[in-house]
């Protein structure tokens, strides 16, 4: 039973109006309660909120729900758990050395991003990033509602009669 | 019904690879009643296997055997094991090619004469002229169903993506704007339907509107009874006799067993990494440096086109994913005009990517993350994109070599694909990026950004044509200078890259080669 994607993520338009009101989240994220989180995230909420913070700093989309960041990380956790734990621990050590607190507790996004920039060439960072670049953007549930990308079209007869050339350039 | 030729039948032409070069050649030979066996490393796919899904198709059909990316270029860092984007399957890269079917310009066959020596470039004229190839361009256009004069099919209607680019281009002063020529039907043609503007040309055309040997040349050659295609057959070595004549090809079949197919003629069409690799791997005591390599040019002069992409974020939704991926071509900069600070020209071609590939390719470097990236992705439906296809000068050290110790699943040395830019390539690329950016600014883009090279789609030059045996690997017929009955039938024959996509020229050369082979066989010269 899959939830309706439109119910769990804000529509883009709605988000655009919200973001003007300062909807950007800062610092530690409270996991959205019961919102279809993967089982591993419910079992290890601390791990999940650290990875979620990191995922959202790497590919920030305020309108995309937590589970879309967390679900794709499961195989990585299964295969490379030690590397992930060590990477997160090292990130926290760095955070404590410069900011006196754990990475997730740093409120300023720019400061968190600066920390991640320092480790972006490392295996830990790139494996999380490479997992998300596919896991997040190859998810058909997000395509149309969030990005306006309509996905597979051949079964609908393509766009020949559905707007492949409907653009009128009226903004010039 | 496919012909069944025995392994000992030494009257057949053995063709390695079933893509643009190999598939076309097999069909053209079959039409002349010449029997061939096509060895294809990849599987056979059905139309139902073609999905509108970028990653699924990438995983399904790409050549993913180990390769090593090398050289001073970003791909070495970003795609260390995927230097090129090539299909492994019956139909080869014509399954995922985008259908742009441009002829080379006359002067591009004699760039060396036109431009003179250029330091650092291993520049050479083609041993054939545009005029010699022209009739075969016409044949190729009819054969593939290319929109325009040869077939009478109209060009495509401009899709949204091209409307945006073209409007900007007009404002920049460009005039040569066309939604073709494309090897994509705009009407039913050649028993194939018209394009449904589905997008996903680079994942394979589910409708068969775009030419591909997968569903044209290959099944037709097989139906003639003159061709047998063996999928899952990886050619490992070309054998020869004591006189240095090719006698057959050793290959691994789908079960991993070694087989030997005897041959009267061998034609190599495995695309520009595998073709030279096969020649190099076929070294023997008679040919210690590899087959057909007396010039030392096998594997050298690897060209990829000087490319880059530019995207613009427009004020309103464009929906670039709707409709053909590449049908929109600007040729104003394709001319030779050294006042721009570089030799050779480039074509600007509209292009689109879906969200999955756009996210991956927008900036694959380690630092390609953060709000810069996601703010563009959030505007995905407002994007328009263009690809720069520019002349890439041949350099002797750019090429394919074999790794000393690393072996692939067949036990063959892994290829190292080395490529660096000639300074000319860099100037050309920057010019193209600046012009494309101007186009998008002129049409009101809110933001423009550069997207780097992807794994190479246009691979040419590694067995180049030359008039003299000392300068290249094959003569003007694609016949190797060293071995009479050994031919090269794919893009690796290219002497220079031109400013145009290669496939139409590959097909024209293959049609011409088929005619030549047939005549020579008839005269018992082969
Ligand atoms: C995304 C994309 C878009 C493109 N769009 C265009 C375009 O719009 N216009 C254009 O002109 N070009 C385009 N191209 C390029 C075009 O696809 C190639 O130039 C063309 O297909 C090359 O033809 P080929 O015969 O050299 O090789 P291919 O078509 O790649 O065929 C080679 C075949 O040989 C097989 N093979 C290799 N080695 C062996 C071996 N040892 N034994 C057995 N089989 C072997 C391979 O599996 C493959 O099937 C595009 C390419 C890509 C990746
Ligand atoms: S846009 Fe046309 S040619 Fe391209 S895949 Fe769709 S139907 Fe085929």
């Amino acid at each position: 039973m899959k939830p309706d994607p439109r119910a769990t993520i804000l529509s883009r338009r709605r988000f655009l109006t919200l973001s003007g009101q300062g909807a950007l989240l800062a610092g530690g994220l409270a996991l959205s309660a019961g919102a279809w989180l993967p089982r591993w995230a419910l079992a290890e909420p601390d791990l999940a909120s650290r990875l979620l913070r990191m995922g959202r700093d790497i590919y920030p989309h305020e309108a995309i729900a937590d589970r879309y960041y967390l679900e794709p990380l499961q195989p990585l956790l299964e295969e490379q758990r030690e590397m992930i734990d060590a990477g997160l621990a090292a990130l926290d050590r760095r955070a404590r050395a410069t900011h006196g607190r754990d990475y997730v507790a740093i409120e300023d996004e720019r400061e968190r991003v600066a920390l991640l920039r320092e480790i972006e060439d490392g295996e830990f960072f790139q494996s999380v990033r490479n997992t998300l670049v596919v896991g997040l953007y190859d998810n058909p549930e997000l395509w149309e509602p969030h990005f306006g990308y309509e996905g597979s079209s051949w079964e609908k007869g393509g766009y020949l009669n559905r707007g492949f050339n409907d653009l009128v350039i009226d903004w010039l | 019904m496919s012909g069944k030729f025995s392994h000992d039948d030494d009257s057949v032409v053995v063709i390695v690879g079933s893509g643009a070069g190999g598939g076309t050649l097999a069909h053209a030979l079959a039409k002349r009643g010449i029997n061939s066996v096509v060895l294809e490393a990849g599987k056979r796919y059905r139309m139902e296997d073609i999905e509108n899904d970028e990653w699924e198709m990438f995983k399904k059909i790409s050549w993913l055997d180990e390769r090593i990316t090398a050289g001073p270029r970003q791909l070495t860092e970003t795609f260390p094991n995927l230097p090129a984007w090539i299909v492994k399957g019956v139909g080869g890269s014509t399954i995922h090619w985008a259908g742009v079917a441009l002829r080379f310009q006359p002067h591009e066959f004699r760039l060396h004469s036109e431009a003179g020596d250029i330091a650092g470039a291993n520049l050479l004229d083609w041993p054939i002229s545009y005029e010699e190839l022209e009739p075969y361009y016409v044949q190729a256009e009819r054969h593939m169903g290319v929109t325009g004069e040869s077939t009478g099919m109209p060009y495509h209607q401009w899709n949204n993506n091209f409307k945006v680019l073209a409007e900007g281009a007009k404002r920049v002063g460009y005039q040569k704007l066309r939604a073709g020529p494309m090897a994509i039907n705009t009407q039913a043609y050649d028993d194939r339907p018209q394009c449904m503007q589905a997008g996903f040309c680079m994942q394979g055309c589910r409708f068969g509107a775009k030419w591909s040997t997968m569903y044209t040349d290959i099944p037709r050659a097989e139906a003639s009874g003159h061709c047998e295609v063996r999928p899952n057959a990886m050619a490992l070595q070309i054998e020869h006799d004591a006189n240095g004549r090719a006698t057959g090809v050793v290959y691994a079949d789908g079960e991993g067993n070694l087989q030997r197919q005897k041959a009267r003629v061998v034609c190599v069409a495995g695309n520009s990494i595998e073709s030279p690799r096969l020649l190099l791997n076929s070294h023997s005591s008679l040919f210690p440096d590899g087959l057909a390599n007396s010039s030392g040019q096998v594997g050298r002069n690897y060209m990829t086109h000087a490319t880059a992409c530019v995207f613009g974020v427009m004020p309103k939704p464009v929906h670039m994913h709707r409709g053909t991926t590449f049908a929109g071509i600007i040729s104003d900069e394709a001319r030779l005009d050294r006042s721009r600070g570089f030799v050779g020209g480039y074509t600007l071609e509209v292009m689109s990517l879906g969200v999955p590939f756009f996210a991956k390719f927008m900036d694959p470097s380690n630092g390609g993350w953060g709000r810069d990236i996601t703010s563009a992705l959030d505007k995905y439906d407002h994007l328009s994109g263009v690809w720069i296809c520019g002349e890439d000068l041949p350099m002797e050290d750019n090429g394919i070599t074999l790794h000393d110790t690393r072996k692939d699943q067949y036990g063959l040395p892994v290829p190292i694909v080395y490529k660096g830019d000639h300074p000319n390539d860099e100037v050309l690329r920057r010019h193209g990026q600046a012009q494309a950016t101007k186009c998008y600014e002129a049409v009101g883009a809110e933001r423009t950004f550069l997207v780097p090279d992807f794994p190479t789609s246009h691979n040419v030059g590694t067995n180049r044509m030359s008039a003299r045996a000392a300068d290249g690997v094959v003569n003007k017929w694609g016949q190797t200078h060293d071995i009479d009955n050994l031919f090269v039938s794919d893009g690796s024959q290219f002497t220079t890259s031109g400013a145009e996509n290669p496939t139409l020229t590959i097909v024209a050369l293959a049609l011409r080669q088929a005619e030549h082979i047939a005549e020579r066989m008839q005269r018992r010269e082969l």
Side-chain angles (χ1 to χ4, degrees):
Chain A
M1 218 185 33
K2 284 246 171 185
D4 176 359
R6 282 160 217 264
T8 52
I9 54 176
L10 294 170
S11 84
R12 226 141 66 92
R13 256 166 223 94
R14 183 158 148 64
F15 165 65
L16 291 177
T17 53
L18 274 179
S19 58
Q21 301 161 12
L24 300 191
L25 300 159
L29 291 176
L31 289 178
S32 38
W36 304 94
L37 293 183
R39 192 171 300 185
W40 72 264
L42 295 173
E44 297 187 77
D46 181 51
L47 174 69
S49 64
R50 293 157 89 195
L51 285 171
L52 179 64
R53 179 69 277 158
M54 189 174 163
R56 287 195 174 282
D57 284 339
I58 297 176
Y59 291 120
H61 296 282
E62 279 71 21
I64 292 181
D66 293 346
R67 67 185 181 92
Y68 295 101
Y69 287 87
L70 295 172
E71 273 165 7
L73 293 170
Q74 182 163 340
L76 181 66
L77 284 167
E78 283 164 6
E79 282 157 30
Q80 310 236 41
R81 181 60 196 259
E82 276 176 30
M83 193 262 290
I84 298 290
D85 284 343
L88 285 170
L91 179 61
D92 277 339
R93 276 197 301 279
R94 244 174 226 277
R96 283 195 297 272
T98 40
H99 300 281
R101 58 184 73 183
D102 285 348
Y103 161 71
V104 290
I106 299 172
E107 293 207 348
D108 187 334
E109 175 179 332
R110 280 165 309 181
E111 290 176 356
R112 290 194 312 272
V113 165
L115 276 181
L116 293 179
R117 289 279 167 212
E118 290 174 19
I119 63 162
E120 72 181 10
D121 289 327
E123 188 196 357
F124 161 65
F125 180 89
Q126 287 300 329
S127 55
V128 173
R129 183 248 181 148
N130 286 328
T131 303
L132 285 178
V133 79
V134 178
L136 200 51
Y137 300 112
D138 197 30
N139 187 338
E141 286 179 32
L142 295 175
W143 287 344
E144 201 170 343
H146 189 78
F147 299 104
Y149 172 58
E150 296 158 285
S152 183
S153 81
W154 70 268
E155 64 278 44
K156 299 173 193 142
Y159 294 102
L160 185 60
N161 301 309
R162 295 192 311 128
F164 82 100
N165 64 349
D166 63 358
L167 179 70
V168 178
I169 300 177
D170 59 2
W171 60 76
L172 287 167
Chain B
M1 179 205 70
S2 72
K4 279 272 176 218
F5 302 109
S6 88
H7 281 124
D8 291 327
D9 186 340
D10 59 5
S11 73
V12 297
V13 175
V14 173
I15 300 172
V16 177
S18 62
T24 303
L25 181 68
H27 186 200
L29 290 175
K31 280 187 182 166
R32 292 178 166 77
I34 295 171
N35 295 336
S36 68
V37 171
V38 176
L39 303 177
E40 169 52 60
K43 286 192 228 171
R44 203 187 275 276
Y45 295 99
R46 298 159 306 156
M47 284 317 242
E48 305 85 82
D49 292 322
I50 295 179
E51 298 170 71
N52 285 177
D53 184 320
E54 293 183 314
W55 281 120
E56 272 313 307
M57 288 309 291
F58 177 84
K59 285 185 263 174
K60 199 184 283 188
I61 67 176
S62 299
W63 185 285
L64 298 173
D65 296 6
E66 189 178 355
R67 286 173 170 160
I68 299 169
T69 316
R73 52 175 174 161
Q74 200 195 22
L75 282 183
T76 302
E77 178 206 323
T78 50
F79 294 93
N81 296 111
L82 192 76
W85 186 6
I86 290 175
V87 171
K88 183 178 195 177
V90 174
S93 307
T94 67
I95 300 178
H96 74 183
W97 81 309
V100 176
L102 292 162
R103 298 181 188 186
F104 273 37
Q105 305 164 79
H107 72 263
E108 289 175 326
F109 291 90
R110 41 182 158 79
L111 190 62
H112 188 215
S113 303
E114 298 275 345
D117 286 338
I118 295 174
N122 192 20
L123 206 51
L124 190 71
D125 286 349
W126 290 61
I128 51 168
S129 65
Y130 178 84
E131 290 68 28
E132 275 174 277
L133 200 56
E134 192 174 19
Y136 299 94
Y137 271 140
V138 175
Q139 271 186 39
E141 286 160 356
R142 297 203 173 122
H143 177 74
M144 301 160 82
V146 175
T147 55
E149 223 174 282
S150 297
T151 59
M153 263 192 285
Y155 287 158
H156 285 75
Q157 293 176 56
W158 292 13
N159 62 20
N160 292 344
N161 200 13
F162 192 42
K163 281 187 186 176
V164 170
L165 176 68
E167 183 59 38
K170 278 188 208 159
R171 287 167 184 252
V172 165
Y174 288 151
Q175 291 165 354
K176 297 179 182 167
L177 319 173
R178 298 174 293 176
M182 305 292 297
I184 297 181
N185 288 350
T186 47
Q187 306 166 345
Y189 180 89
D190 191 35
D191 296 331
R192 291 180 290 116
Q194 76 168 106
C195 168
M196 298 302 288
Q197 302 287 352
F200 298 97
C201 304
M202 299 199 298
Q203 283 62 50
C205 181
R206 175 77 179 222
F207 298 99
K210 177 188 79 177
W211 175 78
S212 169
T213 59
M214 171 188 157
Y215 38 77
T216 59
D217 295 83
I218 292 292
R220 292 174 194 176
E222 290 177 302
S224 75
H226 291 295
C227 176
E228 180 186 344
V229 177
R230 297 192 192 141
N232 307 307
M234 173 74 180
L236 307 176
Q237 191 181 7
I238 301 167
E239 295 186 316
H240 62 78
D241 63 17
N243 302 320
R245 268 182 70 81
T247 52
V249 179
V250 175
Y251 67 95
D253 69 15
E255 276 77 57
N257 299 318
L258 291 192
Q259 307 287 355
R260 173 181 289 110
Q261 176 61 52
K262 291 202 172 153
R264 177 168 171 184
V265 175
V266 175
C267 297
V268 182
N271 206 324
S272 289
I273 297 174
E274 293 308 312
S275 288
R277 180 179 182 224
L278 177 59
L279 296 179
L280 294 172
N281 273 328
S282 301
H283 60 81
S284 64
S285 51
L286 194 57
F287 300 113
D289 298 326
L291 289 195
N293 198 16
S294 64
S295 63
Q297 296 293 312
V298 171
R300 294 188 180 272
N301 311 304
Y302 173 57
M303 293 170 282
T304 60
H305 276 137
T307 72
C309 300
V310 177
F311 281 82
V313 181
M314 307 316 297
K316 290 194 176 170
V318 175
H319 303 296
M320 67 169 172
H321 62 276
R322 295 183 185 168
T324 53
T325 311
F326 259 83
I329 297 166
I330 303 173
S331 303
D332 294 76
E333 301 284 2
R335 69 191 193 276
L336 177 62
D337 170 4
R338 298 188 79 167
S339 72
R340 291 172 299 179
F342 55 89
V343 165
Y346 60 87
T347 313
L348 293 172
E349 299 172 2
V350 74
M351 79 164 291
S352 65
L353 294 172
V355 164
F357 274 11
F358 183 75
K360 175 70 186 175
F361 291 127
M362 179 180 172
D363 183 356
S365 71
N366 285 352
W369 54 275
R371 290 206 182 265
D372 255 9
I373 302 292
T374 53
S375 56
L377 276 156
D378 283 336
K379 288 271 197 172
Y380 171 81
D381 58 3
H382 288 52
L383 293 173
S384 172
V386 61
W387 191 66
I388 298 158
C389 179
E391 178 99 37
D392 178 20
L393 296 184
M395 292 169 76
E396 223 178 357
D397 288 339
N398 284 339
I400 316 307
T401 52
L402 305 177
H403 195 273
D404 288 341
T405 50
R406 295 245 292 263
K407 300 272 164 62
D408 69 6
Q409 71 268 41
Y410 308 103
L412 297 174
V414 165
I416 303 170
V417 182
Y418 181 98
K419 173 77 171 72
D421 272 345
H422 188 278
N424 191 78
D425 306 345
E426 286 167 24
V427 183
L428 180 150
R429 182 184 289 113
R430 275 200 298 275
H431 192 274
Q433 288 168 332
Q435 289 304 110
T437 303
K438 274 191 211 161
C439 293
Y440 281 128
E441 284 168 353
V443 64
E446 291 169 350
R447 172 182 172 192
T448 62
F449 48 91
L450 308 179
V451 167
D453 272 358
F454 338 120
T456 308
S457 49
H458 297 172
N459 302 275
V460 296
T462 48
N463 292 304
R464 73 176 179 181
M465 269 193 187
S466 64
R468 294 182 336 130
D471 297 331
V473 180
V474 299
N475 66 15
K476 64 195 257 179
W477 305 106
Q479 181 183 32
T480 61
H481 288 299
D482 298 350
I483 300 177
D484 268 0
N485 66 338
L486 177 61
F487 287 76
V488 173
S489 316
D490 61 14
S492 65
Q493 297 173 82
F494 284 27
T495 314
T496 54
S497 69
E500 291 79 19
N501 316 49
T503 306
L504 181 73
T505 303
I506 295 174
V507 172
L509 289 171
L511 293 173
R512 180 169 169 274
Q513 185 180 72
E515 196 177 287
H516 178 74
I517 290 177
E519 282 167 15
R520 299 279 304 273
M521 281 175 76
Q522 208 160 26
R523 294 202 298 267
R524 303 246 137 232
E525 290 168 10
L526 279 176

